[in-house]
Amino acid sequence: HPNVLYTCHLESTDAEWAAEQYEAALRAGARWVDVELDAPEGLIERVKSLAREVGAKLVISYHNYALTPSVEELARVAERCFELGAEIAKVVTTATDTADCITICKLYRSLGERKSALVAFAMGSRGAASRRLSLIEGAPFTFVAPDGGTPTAPGQPTLAELRATMEGPSLVGLKLPTEATPPCSKSYFQRAIVAATLAEGISHLA
């Protein structure tokens, strides 16, 4: 395939073995390589150098399996990825609330023109919407499971499921009201916040 992305997680191996696997993948034609942000810096530099040599691109990824930090903290993470030479910063969190999807949207907007070099979403059922929203916000790609395959992360859709949501009804492009008076209900108020996030201009929530 002309657009293979290769990664090697370090939980059960050492950096030297991982470096050998990255080199083998790049020599075999991988066009992207994904290295974890918390990998030894020497490994990141070595893989980056190999990627440059063969014309491949570098993804540096951050994973938080407990929660979704603040927009400010996530923005610092993304900037660190870019400082280390990433063409794509991959920032993946865990959603403990549906409001975490809004945090991911705000992260894209905080990066300005660099948002097109960001792949960010929240794992888990509460963060499922963030995978679609990431593409709307400007992500160059996202991750799905093959149709009939097993997801590699909680909340990951299959290719067919993602296509169905992207091709179905969408809030994007609709002229949503910029003012709303939600009833005294937490669930309704959260929905109003999501609508305000997607609308243009200033929304007033009372």
Side-chain angles (χ1 to χ4, degrees), residues 39-46 80 84:
E41 195 160 324
L43 175 62
I44 294 176
E45 286 298 317
R46 184 170 171 182
R80 179 58 179 156
L84 290 172

Side-chain angles (χ1 to χ4, degrees), residues 21-198:
Q21 306 313 303
Y22 278 112
E23 181 171 7
L26 287 165
R27 301 292 184 198
R31 295 298 86 197
W32 299 81
V33 280
D34 181 344
V35 186
E36 296 172 19
L37 179 60
D38 60 359
E41 195 160 324
L43 175 62
I44 294 176
E45 286 298 317
R46 184 170 171 182
V47 174
K48 179 174 72 174
S49 177
L50 286 166
R52 299 289 188 273
E53 181 184 332
V54 300
K57 293 186 177 181
L58 177 67
V59 178
I60 297 181
S61 59
Y62 160 88
H63 294 82
N64 189 315
Y65 295 100
L67 48 80
T68 297
S70 68
V71 175
E72 293 75 18
E73 183 175 344
L74 293 178
R76 287 193 291 271
V77 168
E79 290 298 337
R80 179 58 179 156
C81 293
F82 293 132
E83 288 171 4
L84 290 172
E87 276 90 10
I88 296 290
K90 178 184 170 189
V91 178
V92 181
T93 66
T94 298
T96 58
D97 191 285
T98 52
D100 290 334
C101 295
I102 297 174
T103 300
I104 297 298
C105 290
K106 289 182 176 179
L107 172 61
Y108 279 94
R109 298 173 190 186
S110 73
L111 293 183
E113 294 181 357
R114 272 188 160 174
K115 69 179 183 179
S116 61
L118 175 69
V119 174
F121 54 84
M123 296 182 289
S125 59
R126 292 184 176 91
S130 69
R131 295 175 181 270
R132 178 185 182 187
L133 291 171
S134 69
L135 297 174
I136 294 170
E137 291 289 347
F141 59 83
T142 189
F143 293 80
V144 297
D147 294 335
T150 302
T152 58
Q156 185 183 75
T158 65
L159 178 58
E161 288 169 343
L162 183 66
R163 278 179 171 164
T165 62
M166 295 303 293
E167 295 170 359
S170 174
L171 290 175
V172 177
L174 294 180
K175 294 183 178 179
L176 300 178
T178 57
E179 295 188 16
T181 305
C184 295
S185 166
K186 178 182 176 182
S187 60
Y188 285 146
F189 189 66
Q190 289 174 339
R191 291 177 174 86
I193 292 173
V194 172
T197 303
L198 297 174

